[in-house]
Amino acid sequence: MAKRSNNGQKSAMSVGFFQKLASGTPGVLFTYWLSADGQSHRYPFVSNQVKVLFGIDPSVLNENADEVFSLIHPDDADAILESIQESALTLNPWRYRARLKLKTGNYEWFEAHSEPERQPDGSTIWYGQFHNIQHYKELEQSLRESEAEFSFQAGFQKLIARLSTEFINLGFGTIDQCIDELLTSIGEFFEVDRAYLYRFSEDYARMTNTHEWCREGVPSLIDTQQEVSIEGFHWWHEQIDGMVAGNRVVFIEDVDRLPHEAAPERALLQEQGVSSMFCVPIRVRGKVTGFFGVDSMRRRTWREDQADLLIIVSGLLSGALERHRLEEELLNQSIRDPLTGLHNRRYLMPRLDEMLGRSNRRGEKFALVMFDIDHFKRINDSIGHLGGDYILQRFAEILIRQTRSMDVVSRFGGEEFIVVFSAVEHGDVPQLVLRILEAVHDERFVFDGQAIAVTVSAGVAGIDELTDSPASPDALISLADHRLYLAKQAGRGCLVDASGTLRI
């Protein structure tokens, strides 16, 4: 009896000794026992840190380990049990990371390390420890977020650099393709469902969707968003005022939570399937001319700097549109006659080449008519050059009124004008020309209180007449010019074509 009592004292001293020793470590030291059939388990020894961290008395765990396992986060529990079973089967060291609930109620990450040992009865005991690694997990998460943010920012800068290069190298006439490419790239980069560009009317009463990108499966809206009146959308009009006056970004985080006064806007956006959206103003020459926007069809968390990033995209678009507008104006100045506003010879000749090409390939018919204002020198001498300019401008207006948008109307030089009638049979042209001569005859030309009599002569040449010589712009103009000369010889105020002289 004395011997057993002495052994009991030694055992008690050992437990006490190990508890004191374990108290100097921040983690939990343990021996974990699992029966051979896996139906029962306990901690023959576990340090007092288990009470400090989790509020569990070690003596409870000496009998049953369930309370510790009840602390495991539900998402980690199954994987931990599987890993223990595998270690028991293979006798490989057991190492695992999982979240455990502290006595404060919060979950924090712990890491366990232990070595298994098979017992004679087939049970398994692990000798090891587990300690809190929450700080390291937070640092790890922070590093991942930093790497993800760095990757995102680098990707965005690379995207903007590529798009900027495309716009810088923009060739005239390709602005639409570049905008489409930008919308596609931005839509995919930010993982939105629509990206688009709208243009405002001068009075901000209407808006038109000019370009649009949609994710696969998302319906397009561009066909229904042409010259849309916004007069009935008062809340949206206030947002536009904010764009125009304050260069503000419009952010709708949740369409369903729009204010009561935005009920029409909410209904329309819900019908279009929009859940949230950003709209950023586009400025050209200091004036807001429209907006660039993105839609999400589902609830999502936007970046805190989302508006700033979209403003960068908007600035890129604004610069490209402003440059394109300037180039268009410069081009128009180079291909238009400054006095009459009609196209000039520089524009006419390439167009004639195009029309000749289509005529050769497809047999498209057209006719060229050269007009000349009769006795123009005499008019200049009688009312001065300003009066002559007035006559030229009024005749140009008549030509525009009496021709179609598909026809080419140009001032060829001096008092000579050329009209190219597209897609017409040669026999229909005389009536078109006579109508112009009649309009001149009926027009009242009055300059500085003085009435001026004005008549016009015309020479007509059809593309189907050039059979004996190679068809070219010069050959066609030369034939029309010769017939204009014949019209002058015939007394002016008439036209000459292949059939002879015709008068109104």
Side-chain angles (χ1 to χ4, degrees):
M1 291 291 292
K3 187 175 183 180
R4 282 198 296 271
S5 176
N6 189 42
N7 287 339
Q9 288 177 357
K10 287 182 178 179
S11 175
M13 287 178 58
S14 331
V15 171
F17 172 76
F18 283 118
Q19 285 290 6
K20 289 180 180 179
L21 184 63
S23 67
T25 65
V28 176
L29 298 179
F30 66 86
T31 58
Y32 171 69
W33 175 84
L34 179 67
S35 64
D37 61 4
Q39 298 303 305
S40 58
H41 63 161
R42 60 190 176 84
Y43 286 93
F45 171 82
V46 62
S47 65
N48 282 328
Q49 278 294 96
V50 77
K51 186 171 186 177
V52 175
L53 293 169
F54 307 111
I56 304 175
D57 194 304
S59 64
V60 173
L61 298 178
N62 295 157
E63 302 298 326
N64 192 310
D66 284 350
E67 282 206 43
V68 165
F69 281 77
S70 70
L71 302 176
I72 300 171
H73 193 284
D75 292 343
D76 302 333
D78 290 342
I80 280 187
L81 292 175
E82 289 177 8
S83 68
I84 292 174
Q85 291 168 2
E86 181 182 354
S87 178
L89 180 65
T90 63
L91 293 182
N92 288 327
W94 182 69
R95 293 185 176 91
Y96 207 81
R97 292 182 175 186
R99 287 160 288 183
L100 300 179
K101 184 188 288 187
L102 302 177
K103 64 181 181 181
T104 61
N106 298 323
Y107 281 98
E108 291 193 0
W109 283 93
F110 283 78
E111 183 175 60
H113 296 264
S114 63
E115 294 287 339
E117 180 182 276
R118 186 81 72 221
Q119 303 303 299
D121 62 357
S123 63
T124 308
I125 290 182
W126 283 265
Y127 302 88
Q129 58 89 27
F130 60 90
H131 61 280
N132 190 302
I133 59 167
Q134 182 66 25
H135 172 72
Y136 300 104
K137 293 293 288 187
E138 289 174 354
L139 180 60
E140 183 181 272
Q141 179 64 23
S142 175
L143 288 173
R144 277 201 298 266
E145 290 175 356
S146 296
E147 289 175 2
E149 179 63 17
F150 177 80
S151 177
F152 176 89
Q153 292 290 350
F156 182 72
Q157 291 174 17
K158 184 177 180 181
L159 174 63
I160 293 300
R162 176 174 64 80
L163 293 172
S164 298
T165 300
E166 289 183 10
F167 280 126
I168 289 171
N169 297 327
L170 176 67
F172 182 78
T174 63
I175 183 70
D176 291 329
Q177 294 94 316
C178 284
I179 291 175
D180 288 340
E181 167 64 18
L182 179 142
L183 295 180
T184 299
S185 299
I186 293 301
E188 292 176 347
F189 184 81
F190 286 114
E191 298 181 346
V192 295
D193 296 301
R194 287 194 193 99
Y196 43 79
L197 186 64
Y198 273 79
R199 181 186 67 244
F200 290 132
S201 60
E202 286 292 327
D203 57 0
Y204 298 105
R206 297 178 309 283
M207 63 184 194
T208 293
N209 188 341
T210 60
H211 301 78
E212 179 190 61
W213 168 86
C214 296
R215 185 174 296 284
E216 185 176 355
V218 175
S220 171
L221 301 177
I222 192 167
D223 291 339
T224 63
Q225 297 292 295
Q226 301 298 305
E227 292 295 325
V228 178
S229 173
I230 53 179
E231 293 181 351
F233 297 99
H234 302 296
W235 181 85
W236 178 239
H237 226 304
E238 289 179 4
Q239 309 312 304
I240 292 175
D241 290 344
M243 285 190 199
V244 174
N247 207 34
R248 289 209 313 259
V249 173
V250 178
F251 173 40
I252 301 177
E253 185 174 10
D254 186 351
V255 166
D256 295 339
R257 297 173 62 186
L258 280 172
H260 175 73
E261 59 268 24
E265 291 86 347
R266 181 172 60 247
L268 178 61
L269 291 171
Q270 288 172 337
E271 180 184 339
Q272 295 172 348
V274 179
S275 177
S276 61
M277 62 189 292
F278 273 91
C279 296
V280 187
I282 295 290
R283 285 186 174 271
V284 177
R285 292 192 175 178
K287 179 181 179 182
V288 173
T289 59
F291 62 89
F292 154 69
V294 294
D295 290 348
S296 177
M297 314 294 280
R298 63 197 185 284
R299 292 285 183 87
R300 64 173 290 168
T301 301
W302 297 94
R303 292 175 56 91
E304 291 184 3
D305 62 349
Q306 188 71 53
D308 296 332
L309 298 173
L310 293 177
I311 286 171
I312 293 173
V313 178
S314 169
L316 182 60
L317 271 171
S318 295
L321 289 170
E322 182 155 350
R323 177 187 165 198
H324 180 70
R325 178 172 174 174
L326 177 61
E327 287 178 345
E328 274 194 321
E329 289 178 358
L330 292 172
L331 181 61
N332 276 331
Q333 290 174 13
S334 70
I335 63 175
R336 287 193 180 274
D337 171 50
L339 178 64
T340 63
L342 298 179
H343 285 113
N344 57 21
R345 188 183 303 203
R346 184 175 181 179
Y347 175 85
L348 171 68
M349 302 308 283
R351 287 297 306 276
L352 280 175
D353 280 324
E354 293 173 13
M355 297 172 81
L356 281 167
R358 289 200 301 272
S359 178
N360 292 333
R361 291 191 304 272
R362 307 175 195 167
E364 292 182 9
K365 301 293 181 65
F366 67 92
L368 183 148
V369 182
M370 181 174 284
F371 294 90
D372 185 276
I373 299 174
D374 296 327
H375 300 299
F376 187 72
K377 184 178 183 306
R378 186 185 302 170
I379 292 173
N380 262 341
D381 291 343
S382 63
I383 60 175
H385 288 286
L386 290 179
D389 290 347
Y390 162 78
I391 300 299
L392 293 170
Q393 290 169 334
R394 291 293 302 280
F395 179 59
E397 293 170 4
I398 292 172
L399 288 178
I400 292 297
R401 289 201 305 266
Q402 297 296 328
T403 54
R404 305 161 298 173
S405 60
M406 62 191 299
D407 300 326
V408 180
V409 183
S410 62
R411 183 181 178 193
F412 195 63
E415 66 271 24
E416 291 182 334
F417 296 77
I418 284 181
V419 175
V420 184
F421 291 98
S422 303
V424 292
E425 295 294 333
H426 185 66
D428 298 332
V429 178
Q431 290 304 315
L432 298 174
V433 177
L434 287 173
R435 190 173 66 189
I436 292 172
L437 300 186
E438 187 173 359
V440 173
H441 180 269
D442 294 341
E443 189 80 12
R444 288 189 72 247
F445 295 87
V446 179
F447 180 76
D448 203 17
Q450 181 179 348
I452 304 103
V454 178
T455 61
V456 174
S457 301
V460 181
I463 185 59
D464 51 359
E465 296 183 71
L466 298 182
T467 56
D468 297 334
S469 59
S472 68
D474 289 340
L476 198 60
I477 293 172
S478 179
L479 178 57
D481 187 42
H482 173 68
R483 288 176 177 167
L484 173 62
Y485 172 77
L486 295 179
K488 296 284 189 181
Q489 293 294 105
R492 294 181 171 82
C494 62
L495 72 87
V496 172
D497 67 357
S499 64
T501 304
L502 294 174
R503 299 182 183 276
I504 56 176

